[in-house]
Amino acid sequence: MPKLLCKVTETFAIQGRGVVAILENDAEWRIPRDEVVNRREVIRVLRPDETSVKTFIKDFEFVTRAGGKSDLAITFPKNVTLEDVPPHSMIFLEREDGEAILWDGVSSHITKPAEQDADDQAAADVDSKP
């Protein structure tokens, strides 16, 4: 079952690197603190319009703001656009273990236009090759 990891607070694109999503404070994450989240882990982004896109975590970053505050961020593969990960989206880990970890107000199902499934699978297959 997918596990809700966290919410996206802000997104932006960096030329040559791709889309970066700033995540909510890790104290607000919905998984146990001792559970590891890895690079290249498959995730599903549930957008505010309740559609979703399946991709993976390319890397983790720290974004430092004026005043020295740092936020955790993830970068996505180059085929992911800003429209795929708008602010207020939710990141789900696509894990097959245990029960879904949700919180109040989140739908227990994730929907997606059917024509995007084949494109996402093809992109995941290409990106997952060593």
Side-chain angles (χ1 to χ4, degrees):
M1 299 291 293
K3 291 184 175 187
L4 177 61
L5 176 63
C6 62
K7 290 183 187 177
V8 172
T9 60
E10 190 177 342
T11 58
F12 53 92
I14 300 175
Q15 187 172 0
R17 295 191 69 197
V19 173
V20 177
I22 297 178
L23 308 178
E24 67 185 347
N25 184 303
D26 65 346
E28 302 295 322
W29 286 23
R30 286 15 176 242
I31 63 171
R33 284 199 153 308
D34 61 345
E35 192 163 342
V36 176
V37 179
N38 298 299
R39 289 180 177 100
R40 304 198 57 81
E41 184 157 357
V42 177
I43 59 173
R44 186 166 295 272
V45 178
L46 179 63
R47 297 180 285 227
D49 67 1
E50 294 192 10
T51 61
S52 68
V53 64
K54 186 175 179 179
T55 186
F56 66 91
I57 298 170
K58 181 178 176 185
D59 208 351
F60 294 96
E61 309 267 341
F62 281 99
V63 176
T64 304
R65 299 176 181 270
K69 181 181 179 252
S70 292
D71 292 309
L72 182 61
I74 58 174
T75 56
F76 295 94
K78 291 187 181 191
N79 65 334
V80 174
T81 66
L82 285 172
E83 292 78 26
D84 291 329
V85 191
H88 309 294
S89 295
M90 292 176 280
I91 306 291
F92 285 83
L93 302 173
E94 284 279 304
R95 295 183 175 169
E96 294 301 323
D97 56 357
E99 294 296 316
I101 297 178
L102 304 173
W103 83 96
D104 292 341
V106 175
S107 173
S108 62
H109 68 282
I110 298 174
T111 60
K112 182 178 178 181
E115 65 273 5
Q116 289 183 359
D117 284 334
D119 293 341
D120 288 346
Q121 185 59 48
D125 291 344
V126 168
D127 290 331
S128 66
K129 291 181 181 176

